[in-house]
Structure formats: C-alpha cells, structure tokens
Amino acid sequence: MTRLHRRAASALALGTLAASAGAPTAWAQALSVQRSGQPLAQTPTHLAPASAPDTTLQHKPQAGSLTAGETPGALRSVAGPQTLLRAAEVPPARLERTRVLLVELQARPQPDQAVAIDLPADVLFDFDRADLRADAASSLAKAAELVEGYPQAPLMVVGHTDGKGSDAYNDALSLRRAQAVAEALRVRTGRQARTQGQGKRQPVAPNAQPDGSDDPEGRQRNRRVQILIEPLARGG
C-alpha cells in the first residue's frame, strides 16, 4: 500500500468513528492531517515567558537606626526603648548639631540613662582655684549648646578633685567649682542646675603608681567637672 493509500485509509477510519458516535462529519474532517509545504526551519517560533512569583527586597532595620515612619530624631534601638544618648528628646532642628557635640565632648551614657560629659578642671580653673579662666569660655559654650539640645531635662553639675589634700578641703573646692560651672551654664541657657562636690571620692584613674609614687596623669584626669543631663523622670 502506498503512502497516499495509507493516509486515505486513516482519514476514512476517523470519519467512520466520528459518524458512529453521532458527531458531525465536519468534526472528522477537522482531524485530518494537514501538512505544510514550508520547511520546519522557516516556521516562526513563539516563546512565552513563564510566570514566577515577584521578588521584592526589604530593608532590615539595624540596632540604633531610624525606622521608616518615625518622627525625625526618634532614633530607637532594637535592644531597648530608647537610644543610648536619648536622641528622641532632641528637637529635630537640633539633632545633627547635638550629635556632633556628643562626639566632640565625648559624652557617655550612665546606668540611669543620664548623659554625662567631663570638662577637665585644668582647662576651666587655675591650680587650687574655683573662679573660671577666661579661656574656659569655648568649652563652656559647647557644653551649654549640648544642654540646649535636651530642653526638658534636669541638670546636675558635680565637681571632682585628685587625691591630694584632705577630704574637707577637696569637698569644698569641688563644690565651688561645680557651682561656678552651673552658673556659667545658667547665664548661657537660662537653666538652673543642681550642684554637688564629690571631692576625691570618685576617681576615674589612679592617683598613684603601683609602687606608691605619684601619678600626675591620673591625678589630672581626676580633676574634672562633670555635667549630667539627667533623665526626664527626675524632673518632678
């Protein structure tokens, strides 16, 4: 049987099957093989993209970073309700300048969330004196500007001395120095600060070497006036 005869037999069989099932003869004709005279290589190929789920990238907030939707300056940490240096209290217009001052003045947080800065006494006062030197104005101006960044916070100024001299003498000297700095802040900011003299009771460095000899660098670090920008909870 030739190829043409086989093709005709196949078409006839399909037509008979369709007729026995009650389908129209046209349906059987639609099933007949139609060959194209065009080579396969010239037949256009249509590619449709496969559908896939959209991929989106989301930013993961880091500790201490600004979160979208928060008020400018409302810096918060993943680890706690407030940032280390209470930036949420700073007015937005003062935030950038306050951040600069915190770095310049080497501010550090206290366990009670107070913000502390230490002003070296040797920059502020002459030896054994409690009246401010003229060249202390620059340090005091920066401290006052930082204080203004926390407009509602209560303030405390604490004087400290080195280990030389008696407790009575050092307590009195450290208190007078604290009062002088507090007054300078009041003049610049209009804010009143509480004062305290700790004398030599809270050193931040050794006053003497391990062999008992004098440690002048340690004593210099201990001579300081500390400004504490206290938590709002203390304001009442």
Side-chain angles (χ1 to χ4, degrees):
M1 182 180 291
T2 66
R3 183 182 298 176
L4 181 60
H5 291 159
R6 286 197 298 270
R7 190 185 311 165
S10 298
L12 180 59
L14 289 172
T16 304
L17 178 62
S20 63
T25 305
W27 181 85
Q29 292 176 353
L31 292 177
S32 62
V33 177
Q34 300 291 328
R35 290 186 177 273
S36 172
Q38 185 178 6
L40 183 61
Q42 297 180 7
T43 303
T45 301
H46 300 282
L47 299 178
S51 59
D54 292 337
T55 301
T56 57
L57 299 178
Q58 294 183 346
H59 175 70
K60 181 179 180 181
Q62 300 295 320
S65 63
L66 280 170
T67 301
E70 290 183 335
T71 303
L75 199 64
R76 68 174 180 81
S77 171
V78 173
Q82 287 187 324
T83 52
L84 213 54
L85 296 172
R86 294 160 39 201
E89 298 175 30
V90 182
R94 300 192 64 93
L95 184 58
E96 289 305 318
R97 178 57 180 164
T98 298
R99 284 173 171 164
V100 171
L101 290 168
L102 288 169
V103 174
E104 287 186 4
L105 296 172
Q106 300 181 24
R108 62 191 189 282
Q110 301 297 289
D112 63 353
Q113 295 188 353
V115 176
I117 60 171
D118 286 344
L119 301 180
D122 292 356
V123 172
L124 303 176
F125 307 99
D126 288 326
F127 181 70
D128 276 353
R129 300 291 298 271
D131 49 325
L132 289 164
R133 294 164 41 147
D135 56 0
S138 176
S139 295
L140 291 169
K142 287 184 177 181
E145 191 176 1
L146 177 62
V147 164
E148 289 180 328
Y150 297 83
Q152 304 301 320
L155 306 174
M156 165 80 85
V157 180
V158 184
H160 301 271
T161 66
D162 61 23
K164 295 279 190 179
S166 67
D167 286 342
Y169 180 82
N170 284 319
D171 288 351
L173 177 62
S174 63
L175 178 59
R176 292 199 307 273
R177 287 179 168 179
Q179 290 170 338
V181 171
E183 175 61 16
L185 291 178
R186 187 196 66 78
V187 170
R188 289 167 170 80
T189 68
R191 308 259 296 277
Q192 190 70 46
R194 295 179 295 120
T195 57
Q196 190 178 91
Q198 284 292 334
K200 57 183 178 181
R201 287 188 291 276
Q202 295 180 353
V204 293
N207 287 292
Q209 303 284 355
D211 62 1
S213 61
D214 185 45
D215 186 342
E217 291 184 1
R219 289 195 299 105
Q220 184 180 40
R221 289 180 58 194
N222 290 329
R223 296 190 296 269
R224 67 200 191 279
V225 176
Q226 186 177 66
I227 299 173
L228 294 169
I229 304 173
E230 297 183 314
L232 293 176
R234 291 191 180 183

